[in-house]
Amino acid sequence: MASQTFDLAVVGAGVVGLAHACVAAKAGKRVAVIERDARANGASIRNFGFITVTGQERGASWRLARRTRDVWAEAARAANIPIEQRGLYLTARSAEAAAVVEAFLATEMGEGCRILAAEAFRAEAGGLGAADLVCVLHSPHELRVESRTAIPALTAWLQESLGVSLFNETVVFDAAPPRLATSRGVIEAGAVVVCPGEDFVTLYAERIAAYGLRKCRLSMLKLADPGFRLPGALMSDLSLARYRGYAALPQASALEARLRTEHPGAFQHGVHLIVAQGADGGLIVGDSHHYEHLPGPFAPAAAEREILDEYARATGRPAPAVLERWTGVYAVADDRTYLIDTPQANVRLVIVTSGTGASTGFGIAERVIGDLFGQTAEATA
Ligand SMILES: Cc1cc2nc3c(=O)[nH]c(=O)nc-3n(C[C@H](O)[C@H](O)[C@H](O)COP(=O)(O)OP(=O)(O)OC[C@H]3O[C@@H](n4cnc5c(N)ncnc54)[C@H](O)[C@@H]3O)c2cc1C
């Protein structure tokens, strides 16, 4: 490996690592990104690419998501990453669900959102929605990119336009600046941000262990073009009992009790519904949540059936053919949505612990880079 010195080395080329590289490079720093795989292959390319504001935990996460959405919009424009969808439609199919939606709209998080009567939604969405649809929450705040192409495009743009150096197929096994020991030799850097995703053991294992993190395995599907075009990403009642921005509202407990009785299998497999549509018309649909110390490769078919059943209930249409299936894993904490740890003065360990890294990564990165480099980075944030 040629001897080079960087201001910042970022470990991990997932969306969180790339966000840190982006913010630092824009602030004029010489940045290296070091990635174990040939390219990002983990949660960051397996997700919905749904940059979600509405439904994020009230307070810091919601504000980080709003900022991240704005930075994504700029980065997508610069890197020629298509925004596949804008906004979110969330169904309410019972009086309890409608009460949560109304309560949400009355909070500061409801700013810019609106409630659509069932008929108004059907008019906007080509007749979608089953007979029991009461109303729909519409949020204009979300963006959706196709992660499997957007993450490689973001990586290439960082290299070509912002001068970021990428070292792939390289494992970092000691990240103590000014020297990082890697499987291909030494890289010199004045500061390090470690963004290891769900790798809790290669770097700072003891510090990570102190946070008591777990892992969550999710099942995802790609469905054939259903013949209709969604006006935005679609979520359903189950999400109101899962996403903390809704689920923490007092009205959500009655809804959760009802949903647990009506759909016990969905709760057993941690299923809620997101339907995102790509330029080819195909649908990215998920997901389930299984929490395990070591999530195995075995995804229960029953979870997939729960996802497809909820799709049918939310859209009022049968699910199209399944074209692809995959799983993904992310880090989880019970007490925080992300962690920023400081193993030493010029090292930060950053892990998103709530399955929201695409939605909060840029906002978190601005804080971390500002903290590491002071005003230089913050001025560009
Ligand atoms: C199925 C699924 C759906 C999701 N949907 C959404 C969504 O729609 N919206 C949203 O906001 N979030 C979503 N999430 C969560 C989001 O994808 C994650 O929070 C985010 O991708 C985490 O990014 P990361 O960069 O921290 O981790 P990762 O994407 O896991 O990347 C970490 C990288 O670090 C590398 N690495 C680790 N250790 C080392 C080392 N020592 N040396 C070299 N390389 C190393 C790994 O190889 C890996 O590439 C979803 C997640 C899943 C699994």
Side-chain angles (χ1 to χ4, degrees):
M1 183 179 289
S3 165
Q4 294 177 69
T5 303
F6 298 92
D7 299 313
L8 177 71
V10 176
V11 182
V15 69
V16 177
L18 296 178
H20 284 80
C22 179
V23 172
K26 277 195 196 165
K29 304 298 173 192
R30 290 165 303 160
V31 180
V33 175
I34 307 149
E35 166 57 45
R36 166 188 285 130
D37 284 323
R39 56 181 179 276
N41 194 41
S44 299
I45 59 127
R46 299 174 189 222
N47 62 28
F48 296 91
F50 192 30
I51 298 145
T52 319
V53 173
T54 298
Q56 296 291 352
E57 187 174 72
R58 199 170 192 169
S61 290
W62 182 74
R63 287 192 297 275
L64 282 171
R66 283 171 75 96
R67 176 62 191 156
T68 297
R69 184 268 325 272
D70 292 346
V71 181
W72 254 116
E74 285 166 29
R77 205 174 305 119
N80 277 324
I81 296 170
I83 300 296
E84 308 267 347
Q85 288 183 296
R86 292 174 193 275
L88 155 71
Y89 292 81
L90 193 154
T91 65
R93 302 195 307 267
S94 66
E96 290 86 345
V100 178
V101 165
E102 280 163 22
F104 177 83
L105 211 65
T107 70
E108 75 286 359
M109 299 180 291
E111 184 258 316
C113 301
R114 62 191 171 132
I115 294 178
L116 296 172
E119 283 316 312
F121 169 69
R122 289 196 181 97
E124 279 190 29
L128 286 187
D132 61 356
L133 187 65
V134 176
C135 64
V136 171
L137 173 67
H138 172 248
S139 158
H141 300 306
E142 283 63 34
L143 299 177
R144 199 242 147 194
V145 297
E146 187 72 70
S147 290
R148 66 178 82 184
T149 51
I151 294 299
L154 185 63
T155 310
W157 174 69
L158 290 175
Q159 292 175 269
E160 289 156 18
S161 298
L162 295 184
V164 170
S165 298
L166 178 68
F167 298 90
N168 56 19
E169 298 187 299
T170 305
V171 181
V172 180
F173 50 84
D174 186 30
R179 292 160 67 83
L180 286 84
T182 84
S183 53
R184 291 179 189 263
V186 169
I187 293 176
E188 294 189 2
V192 179
V193 180
V194 179
C195 305
E198 46 118 354
D199 180 337
F200 301 164
V201 296
T202 310
L203 292 171
Y204 298 111
E206 286 182 12
R207 295 193 74 97
I208 294 174
Y211 288 93
L213 305 186
R214 294 178 294 147
K215 299 188 185 189
C216 180
R217 186 191 61 238
L218 296 83
S219 289
M220 299 282 286
L221 302 162
K222 179 165 181 177
L223 307 185
D225 183 347
F228 56 74
R229 291 294 173 267
L230 288 169
L234 183 70
M235 296 172 79
S236 76
D237 304 47
L238 289 171
S239 308
L240 293 172
R242 179 161 198 98
Y243 267 49
R244 297 179 195 187
Y246 316 116
L249 296 169
Q251 292 78 359
S253 30
L255 172 64
E256 183 176 335
R258 177 181 179 133
L259 291 172
R260 278 186 182 277
T261 308
E262 289 180 346
H263 309 298
F267 281 84
Q268 186 190 339
H269 295 288
V271 165
H272 82 131
L273 185 74
I274 300 178
V275 184
Q277 192 160 37
D280 64 358
L283 303 174
I284 306 295
V285 177
D287 48 16
S288 58
H289 297 78
H290 293 99
Y291 298 88
E292 291 165 29
H293 178 68
L294 174 63
F298 311 109
E304 179 177 318
R305 277 197 300 278
E306 292 291 343
I307 295 167
L308 294 174
D309 286 351
E310 182 67 4
Y311 172 96
R313 290 191 290 265
T315 61
R317 308 278 172 90
V322 176
L323 301 181
E324 293 177 341
R325 300 179 166 86
W326 66 97
T327 60
V329 173
Y330 61 63
V332 182
D334 293 329
D335 60 345
R336 65 190 71 225
T337 55
Y338 63 96
L339 70 86
I340 301 171
D341 190 62
T342 304
Q344 61 185 78
N346 45 3
V347 179
R348 298 292 180 275
L349 170 65
V350 181
I351 304 178
V352 174
T353 53
S354 53
T356 60
S359 307
T360 55
F362 279 111
I364 293 170
E366 287 184 344
R367 290 190 184 180
V368 171
I369 297 302
D371 173 39
L372 272 175
F373 292 105
Q375 292 306 313
T376 315
E378 274 175 329
T380 69

